[in-house]
Amino acid sequence: MQMKPETACIHAAATASKSHATGAVAVPIFQTATFAHPGFGQSTGYDYSRTQNPTVEHCEKVVAALESGAGGVAFATGMATIAAVMELFRPGDEIIATDDLYGGSIRLFNNISAKNGITINYVDSSDLSDVESAITPTTKAIFIETPTNPMMKVTDIAAVKQLISDRDILLIVDNTFLTPYLFNPIAHGADLVVHSGTKYLSGHNDTLAGFVVAKSPELAEKLHTVKKTTGAVLSPFDAFLVTRGIKTLAIRMEKSQSNARKIAEWLKSQSKITAVHYPEQGAMISFTTDTVETAQNILNKVELILYAESLGGVETLITYPATQTHAEVPEAERLARGINECLLRLSVGIEAVEDIIQDLGRTIDS
Ligand SMILES: *Cc1c(COP(=O)(O)O)cnc(C)c1O
């Protein structure tokens, strides 16, 4: 049945739940490692939970439906997902990646993928000519994060797709920041969409999860094979939590985005805030303060806002990219990208916006 995104968040995998004998409205947690066979050479469709588990499968179906993909595969974390995606490549392959990327992805690419013989070429993917000039005969994929982390630069996915439309190059988009509620990379030409389900999809800062959704059934099948072979699977309980979180994705995104728009405007009016990076969409904001002291004051004195890594939950969190998420980026590169000691990143939650602004205002002026 055709449904709008907010309905799909709640009902996208309804057929899977309806097939459950008890009619349970919430997906049951199948806390089992293995499944008994009805008879010789027979299977219920489930054999062993590393290969597939009904609770996890339900969650994969919801995420795949929201991203309009042919299939989705769940992993224990976002990084386990991206590491699994990298198993699609072999020594000698080249990948073009957004330069202003999540720090963990940079660590994976520079240490593990590089060791495995895969070359990563970083470009400013918001600049199409930069992407185009990096394409070589051995380019096998383009990995994009949009908006970027933490500088919020936006890449035109459809335009990147155009550049490679006649080439056998996979377009991979990390859609963690916008979520399928606000943006559908596959509709713009992406072949694979990855998510840290730890963030907005689960939405409550209470579980780690990751997903990859493939446009084609063939790619989904390949990634399913990587999952069952390498084994970093999502647990049934965590899949339950993510499924539950997704039911409120639409209203959480609406509220946190509307809060973020107001906070970005308010930050721009503050004399001690020298730059505000907000792409007019989503609920992530980064900003620079006039001095290192102002930045540290904010981190030390916030009461409602939590000084913690991560993003995408109901709680507003603030981070210091220079020493937290981006500590591993070499200093010269970090500074060139604007990630200095005055930069803070805010993940806006769903509290009353007045309370968030009051908390920030008090710390900025103190
Ligand atoms: C958090 C994050 C990841 C990694 O996800 P984990 O669940 O923490 O492993 C990847 N990409 C982006 C954009 C993220 O914010």
Side-chain angles (χ1 to χ4, degrees):
M1 172 184 157
Q2 200 65 28
M3 47 185 123
K4 299 230 183 281
E6 54 269 54
T7 313
C9 286
I10 301 164
H11 296 291
T15 39
S17 356
K18 274 185 194 140
S19 69
H20 184 65
T22 65
V25 169
V27 62
I29 302 171
F30 286 88
Q31 189 65 40
T32 182
T34 191
F35 300 84
H37 304 298
F40 178 74
Q42 294 174 5
S43 166
T44 59
Y46 303 96
D47 302 309
Y48 188 63
S49 280
R50 172 156 41 71
T51 304
Q52 195 52 289
N53 173 284
T55 315
V56 178
E57 183 178 40
H58 179 93
C59 190
E60 290 175 341
K61 282 187 174 156
V62 177
V63 178
L66 291 176
E67 286 290 7
S68 316
V73 185
F75 290 87
T77 66
M79 288 322 302
T81 310
I82 299 173
V85 167
M86 294 308 284
E87 295 297 339
L88 297 174
F89 306 103
R90 51 184 67 249
D93 287 354
E94 281 185 25
I95 295 177
I96 297 169
T98 304
D99 55 6
D100 189 35
L101 212 55
Y102 173 69
S105 302
I106 295 177
R107 184 166 56 224
L108 173 78
F109 292 167
N110 291 359
N111 297 298
I112 299 185
S113 310
K115 174 204 65 157
N116 292 342
I118 298 161
T119 304
I120 313 285
N121 295 314
Y122 294 100
V123 302
D124 175 355
S125 61
S126 66
D127 179 346
L128 275 186
S129 60
D130 232 33
V131 180
E132 190 166 22
S133 56
I135 299 173
T136 74
T138 42
T139 303
K140 289 293 178 329
I142 302 185
F143 187 99
I144 288 172
E145 209 177 295
T146 185
T148 60
N149 184 359
M151 300 312 287
M152 310 297 160
K153 286 195 283 187
V154 174
T155 297
D156 182 344
I157 303 292
V160 172
K161 180 64 183 177
Q162 279 248 299
L163 288 180
I164 54 171
S165 55
D166 57 347
R167 293 280 311 270
D168 196 13
I169 296 176
L170 286 182
L171 183 52
I172 308 168
V173 176
D174 183 332
N175 198 29
T176 300
F177 272 30
L178 289 182
T179 81
Y181 180 67
L182 294 176
F183 183 61
N184 277 122
I186 288 176
H188 290 78
D191 300 293
L192 290 176
V193 181
V194 298
H195 275 282
S196 168
T198 311
K199 316 295 169 55
Y200 291 105
L201 296 182
S202 63
H204 294 73
N205 287 320
D206 57 8
T207 185
L208 300 176
F211 297 90
V212 56
V213 176
K215 183 180 181 174
S216 74
E218 296 74 28
L219 266 179
E221 194 48 45
K222 269 190 193 173
L223 286 157
H224 177 74
T225 304
V226 173
K227 179 198 79 164
K228 77 173 182 193
T229 307
T230 57
V233 298
L234 189 62
S235 77
F237 181 63
D238 288 341
F240 167 84
L241 285 178
V242 179
T243 304
R244 184 169 74 160
I246 289 175
K247 290 188 182 184
T248 56
L249 178 68
I251 53 171
R252 285 188 289 104
M253 290 314 288
E254 289 290 351
K255 174 66 175 167
S256 56
Q257 175 169 262
S258 113
N259 279 355
R261 286 182 174 151
K262 290 176 190 148
I263 293 168
E265 279 315 305
W266 176 82
L267 282 168
K268 284 180 195 160
S269 71
Q270 299 299 300
S271 59
K272 290 187 185 175
I273 304 301
T274 53
V276 178
H277 309 283
Y278 178 64
E280 308 302 326
Q281 234 197 341
M284 297 298 297
I285 303 172
S286 62
F287 59 96
T288 43
T289 54
D290 53 350
T291 62
V292 179
E293 289 68 44
T294 306
Q296 292 180 356
N297 243 339
I298 296 175
L299 295 174
N300 283 328
K301 295 188 176 163
V302 280
E303 286 177 4
L304 180 81
I305 300 169
L306 300 165
Y307 171 23
E309 259 176 70
S310 202
L311 62 107
V314 291
E315 298 89 359
T316 298
L317 304 183
I318 194 159
T319 53
Y320 198 45
T323 62
Q324 289 185 296
T325 49
H326 292 70
E328 302 229 1
V329 180
E331 189 181 7
E333 192 189 324
R334 195 163 49 69
L335 295 177
R337 280 165 50 186
I339 309 171
N340 57 39
E341 268 68 37
C342 293
L343 183 80
L344 294 170
R345 191 191 76 182
L346 201 59
S347 166
V348 179
I350 64 168
E351 301 95 336
V353 70
E354 296 81 0
D355 293 335
I356 306 170
I357 290 177
Q358 189 185 36
D359 200 28
L360 275 177
R362 202 175 40 75
T363 59
I364 291 174
D365 294 332
S366 62

